[in-house]
Amino acid sequence: MKAKRSSSAADREPRLPVFTDEQLAKLDLLVIVGGRDRMLDAQETKRRLPERTVVLPKAGHVAPAQTERVLEWLRK
């Protein structure tokens, strides 16, 4: 029996491109990530873009049925 392989963001191959902090600062964006995402590190994203990141604590990589919640946040 094969051992179960971890599926964290750090183990993902091929790796997603990583932008430098300087490159990110030039982008006009809002990032919405799930706190339980196994593909992207939500806390690292929040650290790098603290004022432009919304973490949905109970969501994974896909956050279905979140439209109203996101729109409510955007309207603030």
Side-chain angles (χ1 to χ4, degrees):
M1 181 189 300
K2 282 186 170 183
K4 187 174 180 179
R5 189 180 153 162
S6 170
S7 60
S8 71
D11 295 333
R12 189 172 189 281
E13 290 293 332
R15 296 189 58 85
L16 295 171
V18 177
F19 293 92
T20 66
D21 289 341
E22 294 77 25
Q23 290 171 318
L24 286 174
K26 295 176 184 175
L27 298 175
D28 183 22
L29 57 94
L30 170 67
V31 180
I32 302 170
V33 291
R36 296 181 180 174
D37 193 326
R38 291 184 172 216
M39 294 181 70
L40 303 172
D41 186 336
Q43 296 311 312
E44 176 65 8
T45 302
K46 179 76 173 173
R47 183 193 67 74
R48 294 183 71 199
L49 296 164
E51 295 159 12
R52 296 186 279 169
T53 301
V54 175
V55 178
L56 303 175
K58 295 181 181 179
H61 189 70
V62 176
Q66 295 297 321
T67 303
E68 285 306 314
R69 185 174 176 190
V70 170
L71 288 174
E72 180 181 316
W73 186 88
L74 290 170
R75 290 180 185 123
K76 289 182 184 180

